[in-house]
Amino acid sequence: MMKLVLIFSLLAFASSLCFASDPSPLQDICVAIKDPKSAVFVNGKFCKDPNLARAEDFFYSGLQKPGNTSNPLGSKVTAVNVDQIPGLNTLGISLARIDYAPYGLNPPHTHPRATEILVVVEGELYVGFVTSNQLENKLFTKYLKKGDVFVFPEGLIHFQLNIGKTNAVAFAGLSSQNPGVITIANSLFGSNPPINYNVLTKAFQVDKKVVDKLQAQFWWDNN
Ligand SMILES: *[C@@H]1O[C@H](CO)[C@@H](O)[C@H](O)[C@H]1NC(C)=O
């Protein structure tokens, strides 16, 4: 009996470690509010007095519209997170629509606070993520067609490439009200001010010429 209790408490502890994401909400609702007057502070953003919450606080309209993919990447992410739906505050979830022109790319990036689950609703995508150094940077990839679903684990670098001659559309659920986006190339070669070339030449094992060229480039943000 004691052994069983011990096993269960270990399992509970392990699962609390494994499934950690945004903190669980400690109340039914916590609608984000900009004006702190008559607000209650919980975490992340101020909460509106729950008695003043309205259906509109939990509503967004516009994801039927394709994002504008006329840019160097040929892709556009339309995020619906706590900034668009204040009612998502403290709930640990959000959504995105991603549009891809033919051969458009959502370039390698990570979400520091969220796992992503993506469903293709139009077109065909080549997608993948890379595990951390501990798991020897193993690449997991898949070709997805309409109706296919793929998961990008929290924090790992991932990408999607439209491999078809037609537009592609995907929707993604993310396990944070504010997943964050770090686009790898933009962070490393497009930072402001630029990272010292001694750092980048050694990190990427290339000449200064290569680093100069990459840093001179304009790094489009498709978010
Ligand atoms: C899409 O973006 C391009 C480049 O920024 C712009 O020239 C064009 O007007 C935009 N198209 C629409 C429909 O907004």
Side-chain angles (χ1 to χ4, degrees):
M1 188 62 197
M2 280 310 288
K3 259 187 199 163
L4 216 59
V5 169
L6 186 67
I7 287 167
F8 274 115
S9 41
L10 278 177
L11 278 177
F13 179 63
S15 67
S16 74
L17 291 181
C18 296
F19 303 119
S21 66
D22 279 15
S24 297
L26 302 175
Q27 63 292 306
D28 281 357
I29 60 171
C30 179
V31 177
I33 191 170
K34 286 207 179 88
D35 177 14
K37 264 181 263 160
S38 79
V40 186
F41 184 72
V42 177
N43 62 3
K45 301 202 184 235
F46 281 106
C47 309
K48 191 188 250 190
D49 177 342
N51 295 317
L52 301 178
R54 300 168 306 143
E56 281 66 31
D57 292 328
F58 303 89
F59 175 76
Y60 173 89
S61 180
L63 276 198
Q64 82 285 3
K65 280 191 229 121
N68 185 347
T69 58
S70 301
N71 61 59
L73 292 168
S75 72
K76 177 68 189 172
V77 179
T78 308
V80 183
N81 56 42
V82 70
D83 292 334
Q84 287 77 33
I85 304 184
L88 282 177
N89 197 29
T90 75
L91 296 184
I93 196 166
S94 60
L95 185 70
R97 170 181 173 137
I98 311 144
D99 287 275
Y100 312 81
Y103 310 111
L105 173 71
N106 191 13
H109 64 280
T110 86
H111 304 293
R113 291 176 289 277
T115 289
E116 173 174 347
I117 182 162
L118 177 134
V119 58
V120 177
V121 298
E122 214 57 73
E124 288 178 31
L125 298 175
Y126 168 69
V127 305
F129 68 83
V130 183
T131 61
S132 71
N133 300 11
Q134 186 183 30
L135 297 179
E136 295 170 337
N137 306 124
K138 193 170 177 197
L139 174 68
F140 290 76
T141 63
K142 200 82 183 164
Y143 290 95
L144 306 181
K145 54 183 171 26
K146 188 171 174 169
D148 290 349
V149 174
F150 199 73
V151 172
F152 306 104
E154 180 163 336
L156 300 186
I157 293 180
H158 60 282
F159 56 82
Q160 301 109 30
L161 175 69
N162 182 359
I163 49 171
K165 295 190 185 96
T166 60
N167 290 337
V169 185
F171 287 84
L174 295 123
S175 61
S176 169
Q177 67 178 43
N178 181 26
V181 184
I182 300 168
T183 307
I184 308 309
N186 300 34
S187 289
L188 289 168
F189 303 117
S191 70
N192 181 23
I195 297 174
N196 185 301
Y197 69 87
N198 287 306
V199 173
L200 296 176
T201 50
K202 203 154 252 176
F204 288 89
Q205 303 177 36
V206 294
D207 294 338
K208 182 172 180 296
K209 264 187 299 184
V210 177
V211 168
D212 287 345
K213 181 165 190 286
L214 288 168
Q215 287 188 324
Q217 213 117 309
F218 177 71
W219 296 99
W220 182 270
D221 177 9
N222 67 339
N223 285 266

